[in-house]
């Protein structure tokens, strides 16, 4: 796994570029089993009791410490907001019972962990708008201001007409 840059937050564009570079490299490589702190197996629930479920430990539970060196520090706040975060042990807990084999459930848990870390790490990364996008926004703001001014002038004219009509009735 690529080591994340030592950034606690993404304050400058250089920090954002380093974080984006790390995220691109991280997306390309899977998480190895050795990177996870604890992998536990237990019996899965569901139908098929005599054939498989009550006999084989296929349910996989993975626990990974939030303070692991390969998890970027800027992503930890997002991971703490995740439903998979366990506050008492400061870890991420993932469970898989999708498949009938241990190996497939381990791979499923590791891919869930990979996706969770990718989404938490990409959250604080914001793209800078291009000059073309900035110019488009400026144009839209000018158009909105002109439209607002037209509406205000129209409303003002309506009120002026009312004032003039009151003078005519007396």
């Amino acid at each position: 796994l690529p080591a994340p840059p030592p950034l606690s937050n993404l304050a400058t564009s250089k920090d954002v570029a380093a974080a984006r570079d790390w995220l691109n490299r991280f997306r390309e490589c899977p998480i190895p089993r050795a990177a996870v702190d604890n992998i536990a197996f237990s019996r899965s629930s569901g139908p098929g009791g005599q054939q498989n479920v009550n006999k084989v430990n296929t349910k996989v539970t993975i626990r990974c410490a939030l303070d692991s060196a390969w998890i970027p520090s800027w992503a930890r706040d997002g991971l703490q907001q995740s439903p998979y975060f366990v506050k008492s042990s400061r870890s991420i807990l993932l469970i898989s019972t999708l498949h009938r084999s241990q190996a497939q459930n381990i791979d499923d848990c590791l891919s869930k962990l990979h996706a969770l870390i990718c989404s938490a790490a990409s959250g604080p990364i914001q793209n800078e708008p291009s000059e073309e996008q900035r110019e488009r926004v400026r144009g839209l703001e000018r158009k909105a201001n002109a439209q607002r001014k037209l509406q205000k002038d129209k409303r003002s004219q309506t009120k002026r007409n009312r004032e003039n009509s009151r003078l005519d009735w007396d």
Side-chain angles (χ1 to χ4, degrees):
L1 290 173
L7 306 169
S8 59
N9 59 8
L10 305 177
T12 65
S13 59
K14 187 183 269 187
D15 294 346
V16 171
R20 187 176 288 120
D21 181 50
W22 176 85
L23 188 59
N24 289 336
R25 285 185 285 127
F26 182 75
R27 282 189 174 131
E28 293 172 3
C29 62
I31 298 175
R33 290 175 72 168
V36 178
D37 296 339
N38 186 5
I39 298 178
F41 307 104
S42 58
R43 291 191 175 103
S44 186
S45 63
Q50 287 182 334
Q51 294 87 8
N52 189 54
V53 176
N54 294 340
K55 295 179 179 180
V56 184
N57 293 330
T58 57
K59 178 180 177 180
V60 174
T61 304
I62 285 183
R63 187 177 298 267
C64 179
L66 191 64
D67 300 328
S68 296
W70 57 274
I71 297 177
S73 56
W74 71 85
R76 291 182 184 158
D77 289 338
L79 290 171
Q80 286 178 353
Q81 304 303 317
S82 165
Y84 304 108
F85 178 69
V86 180
K87 192 173 186 177
S88 61
S89 62
R90 290 196 44 81
S91 62
I92 301 166
L93 182 72
L94 293 165
I95 297 170
S96 178
T97 58
L98 188 62
H99 303 285
R100 289 175 55 110
S101 73
Q102 263 186 14
Q104 287 177 319
N105 282 334
I106 289 171
D107 292 341
D108 184 46
C109 271
L110 291 175
S111 66
K112 285 180 186 177
L113 180 62
H114 193 269
L116 183 66
I117 291 173
C118 283
S119 101
S122 64
I125 297 174
Q126 296 179 349
N127 293 333
E128 288 292 320
S130 67
E131 191 56 42
E132 179 180 311
Q133 289 172 326
R134 286 187 184 133
E135 189 57 42
R136 182 172 180 264
V137 168
R138 284 188 212 112
L140 290 172
E141 287 173 347
R142 283 192 295 269
K143 186 176 177 181
N145 285 338
Q147 185 75 25
R148 185 179 55 82
K149 187 163 174 32
L150 278 173
Q151 288 174 348
K152 286 179 77 167
D153 288 344
K154 184 178 178 183
R155 182 74 179 145
S156 176
Q157 185 62 39
T158 303
K159 289 185 175 190
R160 264 191 253 122
N161 288 342
R162 283 186 201 148
E163 190 177 296
N164 292 338
S165 67
R166 271 189 257 149
L167 295 174
D168 292 343
W169 286 99
D170 288 339

